[in-house]
Amino acid sequence: MKEDLLKILSTGNKDIDNQKLMDYLSGTLSAKDRHSLEEAMMDSEMMNDAVEGLEELQNKKDVAGLVEQLNNNLKKQLQKTKSKKKRRNIKELPWLYYTIILIILIILIGFIVIRKHLEG
């Protein structure tokens, strides 16, 4: 469970160490580190909101399940977006080919008509 909690901010917040955040939330952080973390929270509104949200969770055991659920939902949503993009690209390509073929046919017919007109 503790490893899942550490994944919450693993996407690149360089200002805060995830282990320090978890120690802060559990109350095991030293006074000096707690003070430095609170100063960092004052500088970053996003970090402050994240910590407040994590503190509001009543049952810390639910965090692992929530993180897992959020990750699964995010994967599903990204997969849907990718598949929609693929389908859209596949649908657009045949019209491009048909258009190119039609333009080439029009040019060929125009060339034949002009040539017959000039010969005749």
Side-chain angles (χ1 to χ4, degrees), residues 24-111:
Y24 176 81
L25 292 173
S26 65
T28 59
L29 200 60
S30 68
K32 180 182 175 185
D33 289 337
R34 178 180 279 280
H35 180 70
S36 67
L37 184 68
E38 288 172 350
E39 284 180 353
M41 286 171 39
M42 286 179 15
D43 293 339
S44 174
E45 189 174 322
M46 183 176 154
M47 186 188 323
N48 190 29
D49 289 344
V51 171
E52 285 179 8
L54 289 171
E55 285 176 337
E56 287 181 13
L57 288 174
Q58 294 174 354
N59 190 357
K60 302 294 184 200
K61 293 179 182 178
D62 290 344
V63 173
L66 291 172
V67 169
E68 178 96 17
Q69 184 180 7
L70 287 171
N71 285 334
N72 288 337
N73 288 344
L74 181 61
K75 285 179 186 177
K76 286 178 186 177
Q77 190 174 12
L78 290 174
Q79 189 62 33
K80 281 182 185 178
T81 304
K82 283 182 182 179
S83 65
K84 283 181 182 179
K85 236 180 191 181
K86 264 188 173 178
R87 278 188 268 144
R88 184 175 51 220
N89 287 341
I90 291 171
K91 287 180 182 178
E92 291 175 0
L93 287 178
W95 289 107
L96 177 67
Y97 295 136
Y98 295 144
T99 305
I100 291 172
I101 291 172
L102 182 65
I103 290 172
I104 291 173
L105 285 174
I106 290 172
I107 291 172
L108 185 63
I109 291 171
F111 175 75

Side-chain angles (χ1 to χ4, degrees), residues 1-10 17-29 54 60-65 67:
M1 179 185 91
K2 190 161 185 136
E3 289 178 24
D4 289 337
L5 289 175
L6 292 177
K7 293 178 186 176
I8 291 173
L9 293 177
S10 65
D17 180 27
N18 292 335
Q19 184 62 44
K20 280 186 181 179
L21 177 64
M22 292 300 121
D23 291 343
Y24 176 81
L25 292 173
S26 65
T28 59
L29 200 60
L54 289 171
K60 302 294 184 200
K61 293 179 182 178
D62 290 344
V63 173
V67 169

